[in-house]
């Protein structure tokens, strides 16, 4: 077992939550696995308090799920659930992209360019973790520009439920490059004020993401269980 990274003096629960998130993303903590506070505290070299707080954060992020009288488990999802969530995400993201054409400012253009360039660099270095985080920020910016808080909250809920499985397929360099090419097409439509194209491109981007995820599912994946 590798030694845990040096812990910060402040913000310990946040640090622990980030470490647990990486363990989930890497597969060391498997879907359906129960989180043992005592064992995790020993592994992280801390008391159970910060671990408990970290688990609450993971619950809020949709990575783990509390089951009454049983404990907290790494989230599992069926193919049916995943497909339904992708369909809903596509609708909300399309709505947001169409609305974003009305609220794009020069400062936002600079943010989009920075994110797109950062994702291109992540593709070149095959840094899937960085790409995934920047991808989330790109989508969040589009939702922000929708100027609709309900749409933002709804989309965020969908994303939280799917972090674990969406994260997995970004490991493939080809998937990252294709995803970012779609991002650029979407940004260009928003920047031109092309409402219909922005909407259709955003919806297609999410559904293409679903196809990429499905193509990476194998028989051992928890997603194969309906």
């Amino acid at each position: 077992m590798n030694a845990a990274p040096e812990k910060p003096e402040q913000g310990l629960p946040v640090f622990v939550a980030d470490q647990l998130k990486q363990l989930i993303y890497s597969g060391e903590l498997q879907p359906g696995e129960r989180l043992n506070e005592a064992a995790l505290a020993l592994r992280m070299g801390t008391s159970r308090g910060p671990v408990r707080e970290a688990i609450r954060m993971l619950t809020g992020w949709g990575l783990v799920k509390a089951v009454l009288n049983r404990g907290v488990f790494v989230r599992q999802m069926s193919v049916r659930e995943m497909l339904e969530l992708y369909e809903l995400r596509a609708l909300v993201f399309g709505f947001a992209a169409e609305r974003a054409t009305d609220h794009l400012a020069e400062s936002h253009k600079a943010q989009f360019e920075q994110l797109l360039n950062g994702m291109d660099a992540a593709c070149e270095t095959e840094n899937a973790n960085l790409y995934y985080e920047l991808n989330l920020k790109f989508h969040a910016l589009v939702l922000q520009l929708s100027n609709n808080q309900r749409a933002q909250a709804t989309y965020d809920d969908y994303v939280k439920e799917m972090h674990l499985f969406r994260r997995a397929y970004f490991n493939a360099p080809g998937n990252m490059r294709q995803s970012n090419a779609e991002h650029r097409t979407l940004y260009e439509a928003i920047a031109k004020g092309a409402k219909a194209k922005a909407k259709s491109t955003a919806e297609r981007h999410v559904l293409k993401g679903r196809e990429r995820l499905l193509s990476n599912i194998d028989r051992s994946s928890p997603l194969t269980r309906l």
Side-chain angles (χ1 to χ4, degrees):
M1 183 183 298
N2 295 330
E6 185 177 349
K7 298 183 291 296
E9 293 183 3
Q10 297 180 343
L12 188 54
V14 175
F15 172 82
V16 173
D18 185 65
Q19 294 301 305
L20 293 178
K21 179 177 72 172
Q22 297 308 319
L23 290 176
I24 292 172
Y25 283 170
S26 70
E28 282 196 63
L29 292 175
Q30 292 284 321
E33 184 174 343
R34 184 176 181 276
L35 300 186
N36 184 306
E37 280 186 14
L40 290 173
L42 181 63
R43 178 170 186 165
M44 298 294 166
T46 185
S47 64
R48 293 177 64 170
V51 172
R52 190 173 300 117
E53 289 299 318
I55 289 174
R56 289 196 185 106
M57 293 180 197
L58 294 176
T59 302
W61 296 343
L63 293 177
V64 302
K65 183 176 182 179
V67 179
L68 186 63
N69 298 324
R70 291 187 57 202
V72 179
F73 299 81
V74 178
R75 185 176 176 82
Q76 288 180 297
M77 183 177 291
S78 70
V79 171
R80 184 185 301 277
E81 289 176 300
M82 184 271 289
L83 292 176
E84 290 176 353
L85 282 171
Y86 262 101
E87 290 171 354
L88 294 172
R89 279 187 60 230
L91 291 173
V92 178
F93 196 51
F95 165 83
E98 182 180 33
R99 293 271 305 229
T101 61
D102 293 327
H103 303 106
L104 185 71
E106 290 301 319
S107 60
H108 301 129
K109 292 180 181 180
Q111 291 179 61
F112 274 122
E113 291 289 354
Q114 184 177 19
L115 289 168
L116 290 166
N117 291 336
M119 284 185 280
D120 276 340
C123 290
E124 291 302 315
T125 58
E126 299 185 8
N127 189 334
N129 288 333
L130 176 60
Y131 184 90
Y132 185 70
E133 296 300 330
L134 294 175
N135 172 74
L136 293 178
K137 291 180 180 179
F138 179 93
H139 283 243
L141 181 54
V142 174
L143 266 294
Q144 176 191 328
L145 292 177
S146 74
N147 202 30
N148 187 305
Q149 293 183 353
R150 281 296 182 93
Q152 285 182 263
T154 299
Y155 190 82
D156 189 51
D157 286 342
Y158 295 153
V159 169
K160 284 178 179 177
E161 288 194 69
M162 301 189 67
H163 271 314
L164 178 58
F165 301 108
R166 291 183 64 229
R167 169 64 186 81
Y169 73 80
F170 279 108
N171 287 327
N175 285 345
M176 291 190 288
R177 292 189 179 92
Q178 180 59 42
S179 172
N180 210 34
E182 293 164 11
H183 286 156
R184 286 194 177 277
T185 301
L186 173 57
Y187 165 61
E188 289 168 2
I190 293 174
K192 291 177 182 177
K195 292 180 180 293
K197 184 173 182 180
K199 182 175 186 291
S200 63
T201 301
E203 291 177 350
R204 189 163 55 249
H205 170 61
V206 173
L207 296 178
K208 286 283 188 180
R210 179 182 66 179
E211 292 177 13
R212 286 189 284 270
L213 188 149
L214 282 170
S215 70
N216 282 277
I217 295 174
D218 58 32
R219 293 183 179 182
S220 66
S221 170
L223 279 172
T224 59
R225 293 191 285 273
L226 290 172

